[in-house]
Amino acid sequence: MRHGKKGNHLGRTASHRKAMLSNMASSLIIHKRIETTLAKAKELRKYVEPLLTRAKEDSTHNRRVVFSYLNDKESTKELFGVVSDKIASRPGGYTRIIKLGSRLGDAAEIALIELVDFNDALLLANADKPAKTRRSRRGGAKKEGTEVAAAAPVKKEDHPVVAEAEPVADEAPATNDEAAENNEAPESKTEKE
């Protein structure tokens, strides 16, 4: 029985899985985004995020621990140099998984896993938008400036009432014969109605 074993073994032996995740993590750190299957991307996220957290504090111990996972000097140097500077203020969630559909050959779900802080197009789009402020719906204590504005009475002079004009019915104007019979002008007939 597999009680409590929630990790996906990905159909590989332990040594093969460890080597594969190590290589994928190194590629992700160097290239900032890689394309793989969805199952591998989810496992890679669990593998690489603790390493990124360790890279925030540059010490010999952390470098040795990360190197034992990555087994690659270049990716370790890149992680503690370029990547750690960008993710320093982020409290977690360093990677993003984007589903791309299914692969043509075997219909496997393909996904793109990338480092969040290195997606320039998305960062530029978010920079243009103003930061959202949290608005509470609870009726807490109001500030003094809002009470004065709410207490001021509304004058009728501030908002004049505009009377709407009644629509005029489309009628044919009265001819001169009809006006002579009624002894009225054609315009006055419509005014009385």
Side-chain angles (χ1 to χ4, degrees):
M1 287 183 267
R2 21 182 354 260
H3 293 304
K5 298 180 183 177
K6 66 177 183 177
N8 189 345
H9 294 177
L10 301 171
R12 289 162 172 79
T13 61
S15 59
H16 186 181
R17 188 169 52 253
K18 181 182 173 190
M20 182 191 66
L21 289 173
S22 173
N23 287 331
M24 289 174 68
S26 294
S27 297
L28 178 64
I29 290 166
I30 291 171
H31 300 293
K32 311 301 185 263
R33 69 180 62 184
I34 58 174
E35 192 174 310
T36 183
T37 62
L38 184 62
K40 286 181 191 174
K42 287 179 178 179
E43 283 302 305
L44 179 61
R45 171 185 268 175
K46 290 195 287 190
Y47 187 86
V48 79
E49 294 230 358
L51 301 180
L52 294 169
T53 303
R54 277 199 181 269
K56 287 176 160 185
E57 184 185 340
D58 191 2
S59 66
T60 306
H61 175 66
N62 283 346
R63 281 183 178 264
R64 286 180 176 168
V65 170
V66 168
F67 182 75
S68 72
Y69 280 87
L70 295 179
N71 298 320
D72 186 21
K73 285 184 183 178
E74 293 302 317
S75 60
T76 304
K77 187 164 54 169
E78 177 83 9
L79 176 60
F80 280 92
V82 178
V83 177
S84 65
D85 292 340
K86 283 243 188 174
I87 65 171
S89 63
R90 186 173 290 276
Y94 312 108
T95 57
R96 174 187 298 123
I97 296 175
I98 302 168
K99 295 180 182 179
L100 299 177
S102 56
R103 191 160 50 196
L104 192 59
D106 59 354
E109 287 187 81
I110 299 298
L112 179 80
I113 183 168
E114 65 181 359
L115 296 177
V116 172
D117 292 313
F118 288 90
N119 190 340
D120 296 330
L122 196 63
L123 290 175
L124 289 175
N126 287 341
D128 295 342
K129 296 178 184 176
K132 290 186 178 179
T133 57
R134 184 177 173 275
R135 292 183 178 90
S136 178
R137 294 190 66 179
R138 293 186 290 148
K142 295 183 179 181
K143 295 181 183 176
E144 293 178 20
T146 56
E147 290 177 4
V148 173
V154 178
K155 298 177 184 176
K156 288 188 176 183
E157 298 165 1
D158 293 340
H159 304 288
V161 178
V162 179
E164 295 182 13
E166 295 180 14
V168 179
D170 294 334
E171 294 182 13
T175 59
N176 290 339
D177 296 334
E178 292 174 358
E181 290 176 7
N182 296 334
N183 293 330
E184 295 180 352
E187 292 81 43
S188 64
K189 183 178 180 182
T190 55
E191 290 175 2
K192 288 187 177 180
E193 290 178 354

